[in-house]
Amino acid sequence: MSQKTPLHAHHLAAGARMVEFAGWELPVHYGSQLEEHRRVRREHGMFDVSHMRVIDVQGSGASALLRRVLANTVDKLRQAGDGLYSCMLNPDGGVLDDLIAFRIEEEDYRLIVNAGTAEQDIDWLSRQRAALPDAHPTLSPRRDLGMIAVQGPCAREAVWRALPGSLFATERLNRFQAAEFEDMTICRTGYTGEDGFELIVPGSRMTAVWEALSSAGVLPAGLGARDTLRLEAGMNLYGADMDASTHPYESNLGWTVDLTAGRDFVGRNALESCDRSKRLTGLILEGRGVLRHGMPVTTAQGDGLITSGSFSPTLNASIALARLPSAVSPGATVSITIRDLAQPARVTPLPFVRNGKILV
């Protein structure tokens, strides 16, 4: 049976179409996915992302454990509230999960991981902790917490209206920083390519916060808009654009790998000698149809594969992320077979859209 978030009744009352996603029953849209997408690009929208899982890593050896399991390094987190995006790798360099890590204080961290990999992540962290005899941090899955993402160019101002006093706590936050406000954590992060906040909220307070945002004029958006927004922003979806069989460099995530001398981490040896003959890049369909996950791509330099694809409301065209031979240059024309017809597509750098601006 699918799990339900504390806001499940609100979604039903708002007329949401519900779907199963990663073991959760979540809203895919509230009537118009297209309008929800456009509203976030031009103003703001809010998403129930309580399926994302929070894991607290605390106590002696917490830093040592995260230095071991993350391809990026928590040594970059200099002060309370600093965060970073990273992949957690297997020994072959494959991506077990992508996550955000925040420093709460010394030897106290909070991880935000994907719903579909959360239990595997906890097990992997436990096993890696056992390999560090002098590290004994606690791993605490926080099932008492939910998450609301408020995204868009006017999103922060909407949060400040909805939550009086939050302006003082959060107005100086940079991207990938977080601050405590009352009983919640407000993070300047998101999965849409727009500015905004992600609020980590006690489950018992989710309804009150959601209603306060609604009273401030923020309308809900579903998983459908979240997916097209993140695709336009060139952001990977775990299980589609990368997984345990792909490494960061072929998933456009080489920027998340820190190979600072002297720091060992699981998967480092594999990454230092990995095959980089393919990479993740963008496609814009110039023919007819819609690009979809799993479609093969034919190029002059060899075959590739679409990992994510959909219609882009902002570009008014079908776009995709595709893993292609690294020798394929931006601007090149490639071929995708759609309904037995070869259709041309143009290779483009990522992202397609950020902060409301078309970049291709």
Side-chain angles (χ1 to χ4, degrees):
M1 180 179 292
S2 297
Q3 299 181 74
K4 296 178 174 61
T5 79
L7 296 172
H8 185 264
H10 277 265
H11 302 319
L12 295 179
R17 179 190 170 200
M18 307 297 286
V19 296
E20 192 279 335
F21 179 79
W24 292 78
E25 187 175 343
L26 297 168
V28 66
H29 63 71
Y30 297 82
S32 173
Q33 176 180 326
L34 187 64
E35 179 54 32
E36 291 165 20
H37 176 111
R38 289 174 173 163
R39 189 184 303 124
V40 171
R41 282 278 180 253
R42 66 177 181 252
E43 188 177 11
H44 47 51
M46 60 181 174
F47 303 82
D48 179 6
V49 290
S50 298
H51 60 294
M52 303 295 289
R53 294 285 295 276
V54 177
I55 304 171
D56 288 342
V57 184
Q58 302 167 307
S60 175
S63 298
L65 174 61
L66 296 181
R67 288 190 192 103
R68 176 179 175 82
V69 300
L70 300 184
N72 213 339
T73 176
V74 294
D75 292 340
K76 295 176 181 177
L77 307 182
R78 305 290 187 183
Q79 60 186 8
D82 284 354
L84 58 76
Y85 176 69
S86 183
C87 293
M88 190 158 54
L89 309 179
N90 61 26
D92 296 327
V95 180
L96 295 174
D97 199 7
D98 65 320
L99 56 86
I100 297 177
F102 289 103
R103 176 176 172 169
I104 308 302
E105 56 187 37
E106 188 175 358
E107 299 301 298
D108 186 351
Y109 298 89
R110 173 161 286 178
L111 309 182
I112 315 298
V113 306
N114 285 300
T117 58
E119 297 304 323
Q120 298 174 50
D121 291 350
I122 293 167
D123 178 68
W124 180 252
L125 288 165
S126 297
R127 286 191 282 147
Q128 295 306 313
R129 177 180 58 182
L132 296 172
D134 297 324
H136 307 285
T138 59
L139 304 176
S140 304
R142 296 297 304 276
R143 295 181 175 86
D144 58 316
L145 300 175
M147 291 183 65
I148 299 170
V150 189
Q151 300 284 288
C154 305
R156 293 197 300 151
E157 289 80 1
V159 171
W160 293 333
R161 289 196 307 272
L163 304 176
S166 61
L167 171 63
F168 179 78
T170 62
E171 65 177 330
R172 295 185 180 180
L173 288 181
N174 294 319
R175 301 292 178 95
F176 280 90
Q177 286 188 321
E180 299 300 314
F181 172 68
E182 295 181 346
D183 56 355
M184 68 188 77
T185 304
I186 301 180
C187 314
R188 196 173 175 188
T189 52
Y191 192 50
T192 64
E194 297 294 336
D195 203 354
F197 290 132
E198 292 181 309
L199 316 177
I200 303 174
V201 184
S204 60
R205 284 257 289 144
M206 285 282 288
T207 293
V209 173
W210 187 266
E211 291 178 347
L213 289 164
S214 180
S215 296
V218 185
L219 296 177
L223 290 178
R226 190 168 183 255
D227 189 55
T228 51
L229 288 160
R230 70 89 192 168
L231 180 59
E232 289 184 347
M235 295 178 170
N236 290 16
L237 173 65
Y238 189 81
D241 306 305
M242 76 290 203
D243 56 29
S245 68
T246 58
H247 59 70
Y249 293 113
E250 60 186 343
S251 302
N252 202 32
L253 294 173
W255 61 275
T256 71
V257 177
D258 188 295
L259 295 175
T260 300
R263 186 180 76 96
D264 191 18
F265 59 87
V266 177
R268 175 171 183 149
N269 290 340
L271 290 188
E272 289 179 333
S273 59
C274 66
D275 179 5
R276 301 195 190 186
S277 62
K278 290 191 174 183
R279 61 187 176 89
L280 203 66
T281 189
L283 294 179
I284 299 177
L285 184 63
E286 296 184 327
R288 301 183 64 178
V290 179
L291 302 177
R292 299 294 186 191
H293 169 82
M295 288 181 173
V297 183
T298 302
T299 84
Q301 290 77 24
D303 294 337
L305 189 72
I306 290 176
T307 58
S308 288
S310 188
F311 175 78
S312 162
T314 306
L315 276 68
N316 196 33
S318 185
I319 63 173
L321 306 184
R323 187 165 286 111
L324 304 181
S326 298
V328 178
S329 301
T333 298
V334 301
S335 177
I336 299 100
T337 300
I338 303 175
R339 295 180 180 176
D340 299 323
L341 294 175
Q343 301 286 356
R346 174 167 51 91
V347 178
T348 179
L350 296 171
F352 302 96
V353 180
R354 279 287 173 94
N355 298 316
K357 296 181 180 179
I358 297 174
L359 302 178
V360 296

